[in-house]
Amino acid sequence: MRIPGRKPPRSFFARDPLDVAPELLHKLLVHAPDGSEPTAIRIVEVEAYRGSTDPASHAYRGRTPRNGAMFGRPGGLYVYFTYGMHWCANVVCELPGDAGAVLLRAGEPVLGLEHMHARRPAARRPRDLASGPARLCQALGVDGALDGTDLLAGPVWLRDDGVPPPDAPLVTTRIGITRAIEQQWRWVVPGSRYASRLVPPVSRKVR
DNA sequence: GGTGTGATCGTA
DNA sequence: ACGATCACACCA
């Protein structure tokens, strides 16, 4: 089987997640398991999480069994379990001397749509397949077994097929968090119909 | 199109 | 007790 695009150099990931995040827009995320057909999405929505300085980050309180991948090699995949039922995937980055990651929030399905629909019966149309961080993982078949794997070695790959990131991405606050809600650390492909939403909810739960 | 709510369980 | 969420019901 053939993996589309080229792999970015390791140095692409070894930077502040705030710099990496917008450059992940329009890149491909490919899951090519041994012995079954690959599926792929084009990334359209991301959020950056820093480490010790970001109260919303899983790495804020240091290393634990769960967030270990965030402290590993840049270019790794950090997959975590949340709400008792969902997996979400991050690209591991590294602000020099600190942990960091970029949450992959949504993508446009580009390869293996029939397999994605089989994994996501609730999705009526392509725009429902990967328009959310947990939906994206379901569509690609990404779960905890892939936590800590290398995006430069597979079976989950980050690939660059030459489509540049948007010149003027939409920048907003992060979604679904209750801390550090003032930071504008979410980037979306302008006008994308495959994003989870273009504008964050006006009111968020406060406690 | 929009809003509100229950599900479900690992984590710290 | 609380999530870096989702699907579905319900209203428009």
Side-chain angles (χ1 to χ4, degrees):
Chain A
M1 109 218 38
R2 213 171 128 253
I3 314 296
R6 301 166 189 267
K7 60 181 176 189
R10 183 76 61 187
S11 56
F12 174 84
F13 303 96
R15 297 178 288 150
D16 188 334
L18 272 61
D19 296 323
V20 178
E23 294 187 32
L24 285 173
L25 295 177
H26 285 163
K27 294 211 167 15
L28 300 174
L29 189 69
V30 184
H31 186 196
D34 240 23
S36 77
E37 293 304 308
T39 47
I41 57 102
R42 189 177 302 280
I43 298 167
V44 302
E45 177 182 345
V46 296
E47 282 175 358
Y49 289 86
R50 280 179 169 165
S52 59
T53 61
D54 180 4
S57 174
H58 289 172
Y60 184 57
R61 289 175 173 80
R63 186 171 188 152
T64 68
R66 177 208 210 188
N67 66 18
M70 264 189 93
F71 292 81
R73 197 177 196 190
L77 185 67
Y78 167 45
V79 184
Y80 69 90
F81 188 63
T82 191
Y83 286 99
M85 57 194 116
H86 298 302
W87 296 100
C88 295
N90 295 252
V91 171
V92 174
C93 302
E94 186 178 43
L95 184 66
D98 200 359
V102 177
L103 174 66
L104 303 176
R105 284 199 54 94
E108 172 183 353
V110 295
L111 183 65
L113 293 247
E114 65 283 8
H115 296 285
M116 298 193 207
H117 268 112
R119 294 187 187 114
R120 278 189 46 69
R124 295 173 159 264
R125 50 201 195 293
R127 67 183 289 181
D128 298 325
L129 284 172
S131 51
R135 291 172 174 182
L136 185 156
C137 282
Q138 276 177 243
L140 291 178
V142 168
D143 64 19
L146 296 166
D147 181 42
T149 58
D150 188 353
L151 289 165
L152 277 64
V156 181
W157 303 81
L158 186 83
R159 309 292 288 195
D160 182 353
D161 70 345
V163 180
D167 289 327
L170 214 52
V171 183
T172 80
T173 54
R174 295 177 289 185
I175 292 177
I177 57 169
T178 56
R179 293 177 296 197
I181 59 176
E182 70 281 2
Q183 305 296 352
Q184 311 252 318
W185 289 352
R186 173 174 173 261
W187 290 264
V188 188
V189 172
S192 175
R193 297 186 314 239
Y194 297 92
S196 67
R197 49 211 331 159
L198 290 178
V199 178
V202 271
S203 74
R204 60 197 72 218
K205 24 176 150 174
V206 184
R207 201 59 279 211

